[in-house]
C-alpha cells in the first residue's frame, strides 16, 4: 500500500487509532481471563467476525490472561488509548466513578439470566452506557458469565460458617458490603493474583462463576465450593470513544454487526461453559462441591437483603426498583405458566 494511503488511514484514526504497515486498523482487545472462558471465546468470535466483515481492514489482537494489563490498569489503558477494547466485569467500573454498574453485584437481586438480560437490554443498560460516555468510553454490549459460587478451604453451609474468613473480591463497594454482612473480611485484589493468594493463604477464599474458578485452576487450592448462586458476574464490552467515533462509518457498522453476533454467541455458551467447568471440578476431586439447601439459601438471602436499601443512594433507587420490577414480572410469568389452565 502506498505511503500516502497509509498516512490517510493513520490520520483518519484520530489520536488513539493505530494502523499497521498494511493499512489495517488495529484493535487491541485486552482481558484478564483464560481464552477458554465465555469472555475469551466470545472475544475470539468477535475477532473472526470483525476481520471477515471488514475484509481485513480491521485486525483484532486479543491479549488474554492479564498479559497486557491487570484489572484496574486495563481501564486506564483504554481511557488513554493504549488499548481500544475491553470487557471488564461490571464490578470493576466503580473506581472510575460509575458506581451504578454495581447493581449487577447486588446479591439475590436477579432470580435468573432472563432477568439480567431484561435489565441489561432495557433502560438500565442504556443509563449505564450513557454514564460511560461522559468518561471517554463507549459501551457496545453486555456479556454474561454467570452466577457466582463461594469457595474456601472449609465447608460453608450456614452464614455462620463464613464468619472470620478472608476473601478476595473485585473492586466493588457492593461486594465489600456483601462480604462484611456475611462476617467475611473482604480483600480487593486483581484477578491475576488470586491463584497465588489462595495458594499462599493470603486469602482463604473467593467468589466467582465456576468457569473462572476452573480455568484459573483454583480447584487446586480450594478444598470447598458452595453452589450459592448468590450473585452474578457479567461484562460490559467497551471501546475508547475517540477511537470508535474516529472509525470510518462503514467499518463501525461492520463492527457493530460483529459485536451483535458475538454477543448472541457469548450469551449462548456462557451457561454451558459453567456447567462443563463444574463437571470438571467434580471430576478433579480436589474440591468438595456443596449445594445450599433452600433453607440455607433463604438465610443467606435474608442476611444480604438489607444491602438493597443501603445502596439505593449510590446505585439509584430507580435502577434498583426497575430490577425488582423485572424480577417480580418474571416470577408472575413463571407462576402463570405453572398454574392449571381454566377450562
Ligand atoms: C474477577 O476479577 O473475578 C472477574 O471479573 C474476572 C473476569 O473478568 O471474569
Amino acid at each position: 500500500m502506498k505511503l500516502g494511503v497509509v498516512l490517510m488511514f493513520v490520520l483518519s484514526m484520530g489520536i488513539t487509532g493505530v494502523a499497521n504497515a498494511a493499512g489495517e486498523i488495529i484493535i487491541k482487545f485486552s482481558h484478564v481471563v483464560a481464552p477458554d472462558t465465555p469472555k475469551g471465546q466470545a472475544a475470539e468470535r468477535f475477532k473472526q467476525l470483525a476481520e471477515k466483515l471488514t475484509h481485513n481492514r480491521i485486525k483484532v489482537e486479543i491479549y488474554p490472561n492479564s498479559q497486557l494489563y491487570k484489572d484496574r490498569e486495563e481501564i486506564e489503558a483504554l481511557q488513554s488509548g493504549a488499548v481500544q477494547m475491553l470487557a471488564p466485569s461490571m464490578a470493576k467500573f466503580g473506581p472510575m466513578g460509575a458506581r451504578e454498574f454495581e447493581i449487577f453485584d447486588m446479591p439475590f437481586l436477579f432470580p435468573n439470566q432472563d432477568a439480567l438480560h431484561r435489565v441489561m437490554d432495557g433502560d438500565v443498560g442504556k443509563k449505564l452506557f450513557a454514564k460511560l460516555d461522559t468518561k471517554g468510553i463507549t459501551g457496545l454490549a453486555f456479556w454474561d458469565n454467570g452466577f457466582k459460587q463461594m469457595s474456601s478451604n472449609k465447608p460453608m453451609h450456614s452464614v455462620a460458617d463464613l464468619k472470620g474468613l478472608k476473601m478476595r473480591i473485585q473492586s466493588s463497594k457492593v461486594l465489600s458490603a456483601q462480604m462484611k454482612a456475611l462476617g467475611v473480611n473482604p480483600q480487593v485484589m486483581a484477578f491475576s493474583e488470586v491463584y497465588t493468594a489462595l495458594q499462599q493463604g493470603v486469602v482463604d477464599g473467593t467468589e466467582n462463576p465456576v468457569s473462572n474458578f476452573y480455568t484459573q485452576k483454583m480447584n487446586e487450592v480450594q478444598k470447598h465450593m458452595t453452589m450459592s448462586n448468590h450473585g452474578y458476574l457479567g461484562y460490559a464490552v467497551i471501546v475508547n470513544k475517540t477511537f470508535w467515533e474516529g472509525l470510518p462509518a462503514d467499518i463501525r457498522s461492520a463492527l457493530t454487526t460483529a459485536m451483535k453476533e458475538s454477543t448472541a454467541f457469548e450469551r449462548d455458551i456462557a451457561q454451558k461453559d459453567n456447567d462443563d467447568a463444574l463437571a470438571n471440578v467434580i471430576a478433579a476431586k480436589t474440591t468438595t462441591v456443596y449445594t445450599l439447601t433452600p433453607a440455607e439459601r433463604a438465610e443467606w438471602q435474608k442476611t444480604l437483603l438489607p444491602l438493597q436499601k443501603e445502596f439505593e443512594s449510590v446505585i439509584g433507587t430507580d435502577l434498583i426498583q426497575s430490577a425488582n420490577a423485572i424480577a417480580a414480572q418474571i416470577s408472575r410469568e413463571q407462576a402463570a405458566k405453572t398454574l392449571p389452565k381454566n377450562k
Side-chain angles (χ1 to χ4, degrees), residues 31-33 37 39 71 74 87-92 145 148 168-171 189-192 194 206-209 211-212 218 233-235:
H31 68 79
V32 301
V33 294
T37 52
K39 175 162 64 178
D71 304 351
E74 69 170 13
S89 72
M90 252 90 82
K92 295 185 185 155
N145 189 322
K148 291 177 291 184
R168 177 269 173 172
I169 55 160
Q170 307 174 77
S171 55
M189 189 180 289
F191 185 64
S192 57
V194 182
T206 187
E207 55 164 15
N208 236 303
S211 57
N212 277 348
M218 291 185 203
L233 189 144
Y235 309 108

Side-chain angles (χ1 to χ4, degrees), residues 6 15 27 29 35 54 61 74 83 99 104 122 173 177 189 206 227 244 252-253 255 261 286 295 303 313 315:
V6 173
I15 50 158
I27 294 181
F29 188 154
T54 62
E61 295 175 357
E74 69 170 13
V83 295
R99 298 280 304 278
F104 292 108
K173 294 279 192 269
M189 189 180 289
T206 187
M227 301 300 289
W244 184 247
R252 209 167 39 241
S253 150
L255 292 180
E261 288 181 24
T286 45
T303 308
S313 61
I315 289 172

Side-chain angles (χ1 to χ4, degrees), residues 66-343:
S66 309
Q67 242 170 54
L68 279 189
Y69 300 105
K70 295 183 195 174
D71 304 351
R72 192 172 44 82
E73 299 159 3
E74 69 170 13
I75 294 189
E76 288 162 9
L78 185 88
Q79 286 180 303
S80 73
V83 295
Q84 287 70 43
M85 192 174 281
L86 307 173
S89 72
M90 252 90 82
K92 295 185 185 155
F93 288 85
M96 71 152 84
R99 298 280 304 278
E100 296 85 345
F101 277 78
E102 293 181 14
I103 187 169
F104 292 108
D105 299 332
M106 192 59 79
F108 297 107
L109 180 56
F110 303 96
N112 54 29
Q113 218 89 353
D114 184 17
L116 281 150
H117 292 163
R118 289 194 209 180
V119 171
M120 293 168 181
D121 299 338
D123 288 346
V124 173
K126 285 198 188 77
K127 275 189 195 154
L128 296 181
F129 279 167
K131 179 88 191 207
L132 290 186
D133 210 55
T134 63
K135 300 184 183 301
I137 293 174
T138 302
L140 296 183
F142 290 106
W143 285 358
D144 281 330
N145 189 322
F147 285 91
K148 291 177 291 184
Q149 320 302 346
M150 214 58 104
S151 69
S152 86
N153 283 321
K154 60 175 284 217
M156 295 162 293
H157 301 184
S158 72
V159 171
D161 296 334
L162 289 126
K163 197 169 164 46
L165 290 175
K166 210 190 270 181
M167 291 228 185
R168 177 269 173 172
I169 55 160
Q170 307 174 77
S171 55
S172 152
K173 294 279 192 269
V174 168
L175 296 181
S176 174
Q178 166 202 281
M179 291 303 193
K180 286 180 184 157
L182 294 170
V184 168
N185 174 5
Q187 307 278 315
V188 174
M189 189 180 289
F191 185 64
S192 57
E193 291 162 8
V194 182
Y195 178 90
T196 310
L198 291 170
Q199 187 184 40
Q200 298 180 346
V202 175
V203 288
D204 303 307
T206 187
E207 55 164 15
N208 236 303
V210 195
S211 57
N212 277 348
F213 181 83
Y214 182 68
T215 53
Q216 295 298 318
K217 301 187 166 56
M218 291 185 203
N219 61 298
E220 291 175 356
V221 288
Q222 294 279 262
K223 291 198 173 62
H224 293 273
M225 182 161 71
T226 292
M227 301 300 289
S228 45
N229 290 300
H230 58 281
Y232 168 79
L233 189 144
Y235 309 108
V237 189
I238 55 178
V239 278
N240 178 293
K241 182 167 155 48
T242 313
F243 169 79
W244 184 247
E245 290 178 356
L247 287 171
D250 61 330
I251 290 204
R252 209 167 39 241
S253 150
L255 292 180
T256 303
T257 306
M259 184 51 65
K260 213 168 150 200
E261 288 181 24
S262 27
T263 299
F265 166 80
E266 208 273 351
R267 291 186 181 186
D268 217 41
I269 62 165
Q271 186 56 48
K272 185 174 180 317
D273 267 21
N274 281 305
D275 294 345
D276 291 349
L278 179 60
N280 287 331
V281 169
I282 292 169
K285 294 192 162 74
T286 45
T287 309
T288 305
V289 178
Y290 177 76
T291 301
L292 291 180
T293 64
E296 285 161 353
R297 197 160 191 276
E299 188 209 4
W300 287 48
Q301 190 161 10
K302 188 163 167 247
T303 308
L304 295 171
L305 199 65
L307 261 66
Q308 288 192 25
K309 260 263 143 321
E310 190 183 327
F311 279 87
E312 264 185 357
S313 61
V314 178
I315 289 172
T317 313
D318 54 335
L319 297 197
I320 293 183
Q321 275 173 357
S322 304
N324 271 320
I326 286 171
Q329 172 68 23
I330 286 179
S331 64
R332 277 196 300 276
E333 289 169 11
Q334 278 170 347
K337 267 192 215 147
T338 51
L339 272 181
K341 295 241 170 5
N342 284 334
K343 292 234 167 90

